[in-house]
Amino acid sequence: MKKTAINLTVNGRSRDAVVPPRMLLSDLIRHELALPGTHVGCEHGVCGACNVLVDGKAVRSCLMFAVQADGCEITTVEGFSAGGLDLVQTAFWEEHGLQCGFCTPGMLASAHELLAENPDPTDDEIREAIAGNLCRCTGYEYIIAAIRSAARKMRDAETAAKRQPA
Amino acid sequence: MKPAAFDYERPNDLAAALELLSCEEDTRILAGGQSLVPMMNARLARPKRLVDINRLPDLDYIRDEGTHVAIGALARHRDVKSSRLVRDHLPVIPAAYEWVAHAAVRNRGTLCGNLCHADPASEMPALMLLLGAEMVLTQASGTRIVAASDFFLGLYETAAGPGEMLTEVRIPKPARDTGWGFEEVGMRKADFAWATCAATMRLDGGRIAAPAAAVAGVGDRATRLAELEAAIEGQAPSDSLFADVAREVAVSLDPPSSVGVDAQYRRDLVGTLLPRALAAAARRAEEAKQ
Amino acid sequence: MASHLDSNVIPPSRQRETPRSGLTWIGQSMKRVEDPRILAGKGGYIDDVTVPGMAHAAMVTSPHAHARIVSIDTSKARALPGVIGVYTGQDLARVVDPCPSFASPPVPQHAIVLDKVRHVGEVVAAVVAEDRYVAEDAAELVEVEWEILPANVDIEASLEATGDAVIHPDDRDSNRALDESFQFGPVDEHFAAAAHVIKRRLRWHRSSAQAIETCGVVAQFDPISGSYTIHANTNFYNFIPFVIGGSLRVSPGELRIIPVLAGGSFGSKVFNHKILIRTAGLSRLAGVPVKYIEDRVEHFTNSDSHGSDRLYDAELAVMEDGTFKSLRFTVLDDYGAYLQFGVGTHGNAMAQVTGPYRIESFGMRVIAVLSNKTQQGPYRGFGSEVTNWVMERMADAAAKELGRDPVELREQNMIAADAFPYMIPTGNIYDSGNFQKVLAEAKGLFDLDAWRERAKALRAGGRCVGVGVATCMERSVYGPTEWWSLNNRETPGFTLTSTPEAITARVDPSGKLFVTLHSPMVGNSPETVVTQVLAERLTVAPEDVVINYSDSQSGFNSVGPQGSRFTAMIAGACVSASIKLEERLKRFGAYMLQRRPEDVELRDGCVAVVGSQDQKKTFAEIALTSSFFRLSFPEGEEYDSGIDCTAVYDHPISTDPDPERKHLGIFYPIVGHICHMVAVEVDPGTGKVEILDYAAVHDNGTIVNPRTLGGQVWGGTANGIGTALSEQFLYDADGQFTNPNFSEFAMPTANEMPRNFKLGHVETPSPYTEYGVKGGGEGGRLGAPSALTSAIEDALSDFGVTISSLPVTPPVLRGMIRAAQASG
Ligand SMILES: Cc1cc2nc3c(=O)[nH]c(=O)nc-3n(C[C@H](O)[C@H](O)[C@H](O)COP(=O)(O)OP(=O)(O)OC[C@H]3O[C@@H](n4cnc5c(N)ncnc54)[C@H](O)[C@@H]3O)c2cc1C
Ligand code: FES
Ligand code: FES
């Protein structure tokens, strides 16, 4: 089978790989790039456990071929915590937004995308943003609370940064 | 659940893509991949070759063409859903998009790919019929334009030939005072519809003008309801009128029966949702007058 | 107490730590210890495991529900580059024996079938290849010739099947796997005396847990030592070697199971025996380590963890004044093609079959039916979710037929708050409770009176709004007799009598408390619970507790998270360990302080002289001295160096079943109580249900961590909403499983959850467990289906609709409404 050389930026780091066309992006990330934080729950696009950010947008990595990510910038859960747990992860911790944690990396990707676009989402907007992420453990309520809290923290950090004279 | 092997091409311009598509082999376009890849993962689809159109330049547009809105092959669901232009002229589209998949799927899935996939329970084919859209089909030898009403041929079947790409959808802008209604029921909000009903109309001196209605999920393809439209044109909108015409539509349908979702249920849904969609359209048309 | 229960004497409590207020750590919503690594993507789940030289397995699965294998040709598959081997059931049988079964008599099951398939998705052959993609390519190339046999899909028809439709013709001549009848107390007498006999035929359909992670195994056979090393996301790794060792033909000493963090279980990962045995066998045959991770379709169709699938003919004997006197039913349960746990799910249900009510006798006939579906296994509730629903349906039915208010009728029949411990007719006890208080709390939280008024007014205006109330039991801390107590008396089978939990702990010379758990984390919070209890009992700071996990060779008697047992049991093990460690710490500390052990106490991580502020030694000082400076202490074994222990906690209170099965003994005694109240609106034209308001009050005894308990209630309720409204496995007449995927098996998303869920707690501590802790891992799912059913029935009261089957999907509800409209 013909393989293709690709280069992509994953969590800020340039990575090379040689992949057969059919390799799913989720398998590239997990098994070739050894970043197992991204999870696979269905491989048919429904559960969202495999969500990663591709050029800033939450995407099902099980529905994208690795070759298609050539030249893209990808952020996975490992990227969110590169400098310690980030604000969203911390909010998930504080609000008990995870139980088994299997859905969490995908939830975090969806939450990041939402908060980048909408710093002050309503609960219904949060619901809608994570409706494509199945969680069997939490019943979602504390995940919603976590994202609400993360939004507040991010806004507070923003305000504090603005107040700080340069 | 891993796809079977295939060859992969990623052309950088449209001409090259069309050239690749014109070859005989079992070649398929890979757009957003949100329908094709799940089927490939389950090995329900096993194309020999994929032509990835995601890097083709200048196909992600949503453009104002005066009489119509033109949407290119690479416009993602997300872009169409959030487009100001679409919202202003075709508000039924973003409303319907609330029911289409999830944010992450909409981030990659394309409107054109969705239409070419022609899932009978998909919302957008019904809207294209409703709005009288035209499909621009391009192949190496040239371009043809097919009306939406001639495009959807059956279960996962469209008028697009093997070497053809749907490069653009043209959606006429309805008159400013057109009202719309959209109703859907599925198991969960983002699931494929058990029944979808959409309608538009204007009110002319209190009478229904230029009515349009379409349904999806209740047959092998989305359907425009010409008889219903004829029956309500020129009438004063009323709940009983809408209920009556919807009942006729419901009995005339031959919806699929699947385990757990019987045909009669789908008929009932049309009987319930169609009057609601029509009434909403009438209400919005009324509001548009004010 | 009824005389059939005379021999069932309640043993005295072995509680050491009494429930009390003013605790420091127990009761705090401490952030979970488990979370940081999981949040960072470093949880370490089964598919994250790689071992050198590892190959990948893919399965050839049956497209038919019931068929004989005429021939299998694996030659094309074997010829594919990258394929290491292709193995049929006959090949696997060279190295492994049939799967274990707890049923008596057992129903034989092979990890790869030998000669016929009994459900869609069953494994016919396995491929081992260099990667999963190639393995799947090869699996497609295996050619099987089939002889199709009649499929058993309908529960009642299966029972009548003969000839080729019999699923295990070599072992039994029908599909009736077990048929047993029981009487607990004078049932017939009570029914004869009843003023009203309420009858209902009730159907509970099949679904399963579907944790977001599927089951998986990485197995490695070492031909030199003849032993296996296996990574698996089973809940049960310290018992699994005993259970599967026989099948793998090795002793537990030749089997090392290494646990991983599991991505949710809800019962579905309790055993995983089939994939453990199969993958281990494949690694032996192929001569390489093998990874097998179920894909989602395989998890749906072949994971042996389908839930109950029951048909009840139930009767409730009610006295003139509304007193519930006796309950009896015949239940058919479609167990699928095999019977791994016998009728353990009915044994479980016997723990609380009469609900929170003073029902004096109970009778049942249980018939286990075999069919051409995937076999049942544990699923959140383990069968009790169904009897809760049956009991609540019967209570509603009684209210309707007697013209009584359903809540008031329930209150009338509730066990009084001063009647505990209370023995129910089956012999199980309810350790404690205050059902009236829970109900009162829920009424307030939900504002029941206001909602009922509102619903009535809205119904008068033509809308279908209704209110439902469920008052249910949530048994916790199971004893193993539930698995065999209903078996045939002569051959009861696998008769365990304790479900222990253990920890190993040591105070290291730096003063840290190193703790080894012998059960895995599956989404519960074992590390957090252990940290909180040990911090409480030993007065250490939570950050000084360091937790790790054993494997099956370094582990100790531990059953793990299932049956809502873990929190109460591990708290017990922590207390046992604390007592041992305290004794050691005090002995060494007192000596260092030149006092007697009786004169010192534990305080803030120190051994301190009673009554003195400054005369103390930190645990670090004591552990350092005791570990490294043996000569500082006197002669004698009691001063052997180091401070450590292994401590086990056996089931706190259980008794054996009566040999004649007049009662089943005490086996599931630590009961919580739950009250769910919900308001719904049904759209009669579409059958869609909207949840308008929801309140859940749970009494799980002393709460260790309110936030994590809240998470369980929420999650269980979401699960119960799915069970009630949307989740069902659908089969066509040929036995095809038509919706084994996340698109069509509709688990609730955030959009489907109620917008304003209110959660309340009552704390009635258990007199038997340490600190009074009860379990709470299943609760939401034990109450939500009942409350929703009542609410929907209430909403549709103008149509006269009776709901006798779950789930009520929109098409089902619409069908009922249509029928009512047509006839009315
Ligand atoms: C979880 C989930 C939920 C979903 N829910 C819904 C829903 O509720 N409603 C709904 O309508 N859809 C739903 N979808 C499908 C989604 O809308 C897809 O994006 C869409 O159907 C296909 O668009 P695509 O760009 O991804 O096409 P692809 O998957 O790339 O292609 C689909 C098909 O169209 C062909 N094709 C693609 N582009 C072109 C073109 N320009 N010209 C000719 N042929 C082309 C391909 O060869 C292929 O056969 C869902 C998908 C998922 C994964
Ligand atoms: S694994 Fe990709 S959506 Fe489930
Ligand atoms: S935390 Fe387990 S699936 Fe979400």
Side-chain angles (χ1 to χ4, degrees), chain B residues 115-129:
Chain B
L115 299 178
C116 291
H117 184 57
D119 190 301
S122 180
E123 294 81 357
M124 288 302 141
L127 288 203
M128 295 306 116
L129 289 170

Side-chain angles (χ1 to χ4, degrees), chain B residues 1-2 46 265 268 276, chain C residues 136-137 140 683 686 818:
Chain B
M1 262 202 219
K2 308 290 179 188
R46 42 172 74 236
Y265 177 63
D268 284 4
R276 290 181 189 171
Chain C
E136 292 192 15
D137 293 344
E140 284 189 308
D683 179 342
T686 65
R818 187 194 311 120

Side-chain angles (χ1 to χ4, degrees), chain A residues 97-104 134-138 143, chain C residues 212 263-264 266:
Chain A
L98 66 154
Q99 289 179 27
C100 79
F102 203 74
C103 68
T104 311
L134 290 176
C135 174
R136 196 55 153 171
C137 299
T138 63
I143 295 179
Chain C
I212 308 301
F266 320 107

Side-chain angles (χ1 to χ4, degrees), chain C residues 33-100:
Chain C
V33 178
E34 296 84 350
D35 286 354
R37 67 175 191 277
I38 299 177
L39 280 161
K42 299 187 172 20
Y45 300 85
I46 185 63
D47 192 34
D48 306 353
V49 173
T50 49
V51 301
M54 184 175 83
H56 298 263
M59 301 303 138
V60 180
T61 57
S62 170
H64 303 296
H66 198 190
R68 213 167 274 132
I69 298 169
V70 178
S71 66
I72 304 188
D73 182 353
T74 60
S75 54
K76 284 189 191 138
R78 276 187 280 119
L80 194 73
V83 171
I84 296 166
V86 182
Y87 308 97
T88 63
Q90 307 288 350
D91 296 328
L92 191 71
R94 296 205 315 265
V95 296
V96 311
D97 288 325
C99 296

Side-chain angles (χ1 to χ4, degrees), chain C residues 485-750:
Chain C
S485 61
L486 301 186
N487 283 354
N488 172 309
R489 268 142 266 198
E490 288 71 46
T491 50
F494 185 77
T495 57
L496 276 179
T497 66
S498 180
T499 42
E501 195 64 37
I503 67 168
T504 304
R506 131 177 91 91
V507 184
D508 100 318
S510 70
K512 295 276 182 199
L513 189 56
F514 279 80
V515 181
T516 302
L517 305 187
H518 305 302
S519 291
M521 147 105 182
V522 301
N524 55 335
S525 313
E527 299 168 32
T528 307
V529 172
V530 165
T531 300
Q532 288 186 258
V533 176
L534 288 176
E536 185 72 51
R537 180 60 181 73
L538 291 173
T539 74
V540 297
E543 49 278 18
D544 285 336
V545 182
V546 180
I547 295 185
N548 57 48
Y549 295 86
S550 67
D551 62 40
S552 67
Q553 293 196 343
S554 56
F556 196 60
N557 286 358
S558 289
V559 168
Q562 46 184 294
S564 293
R565 65 181 291 284
F566 194 76
T567 301
M569 293 300 291
I570 199 79
C574 288
V575 169
S576 302
S578 297
I579 290 169
K580 292 186 178 183
L581 294 175
E582 177 176 21
E583 199 267 335
R584 300 278 293 163
L585 284 163
K586 279 184 174 170
R587 179 190 313 280
F588 288 104
Y591 188 82
M592 290 166 75
L593 290 160
Q594 297 181 312
R595 295 295 182 115
R596 293 176 311 163
E598 307 84 276
D599 299 333
V600 295
E601 63 185 5
L602 303 188
R603 199 193 304 148
D604 299 332
C606 295
V607 170
V609 175
V610 177
S612 157
Q613 278 305 314
D614 44 328
Q615 278 183 288
K616 59 189 180 193
K617 292 283 176 195
T618 65
F619 289 179
E621 289 172 288
I622 297 166
L624 179 79
T625 317
S626 112
S627 299
F628 294 161
F629 303 102
R630 171 69 184 85
L631 298 182
S632 307
F633 298 98
E635 287 289 313
E637 280 180 9
E638 67 272 31
Y639 288 105
D640 281 354
S641 68
I643 297 172
D644 75 326
C645 73
T646 291
V648 72
Y649 185 68
D650 279 302
H651 194 278
I653 173 165
S654 49
T655 59
D656 265 340
D658 171 71
E660 296 303 314
R661 300 297 189 269
K662 278 194 246 156
H663 64 75
L664 304 176
I666 299 170
F667 63 100
Y668 227 138
I670 312 302
V671 299
H673 183 70
I674 61 188
C675 180
H676 282 215
M677 295 192 181
V678 56
V680 302
E681 175 157 18
V682 181
D683 179 342
T686 65
K688 283 286 260 190
V689 174
E690 189 190 349
I691 298 174
L692 304 174
D693 202 1
Y694 205 115
V697 177
H698 285 223
D699 180 352
N700 299 97
T702 302
I703 300 175
V704 177
N705 184 320
R707 195 73 176 175
T708 60
L709 180 64
Q712 291 291 333
V713 174
W714 251 112
T717 301
N719 197 171
I721 290 172
T723 299
L725 302 181
S726 61
E727 298 176 13
Q728 183 181 348
F729 292 167
L730 299 168
Y731 293 83
D732 70 11
D734 297 328
Q736 287 297 329
F737 186 167
T738 64
N739 61 340
N741 57 65
F742 276 165
S743 313
E744 294 160 285
F745 179 73
M747 313 200 303
T749 75

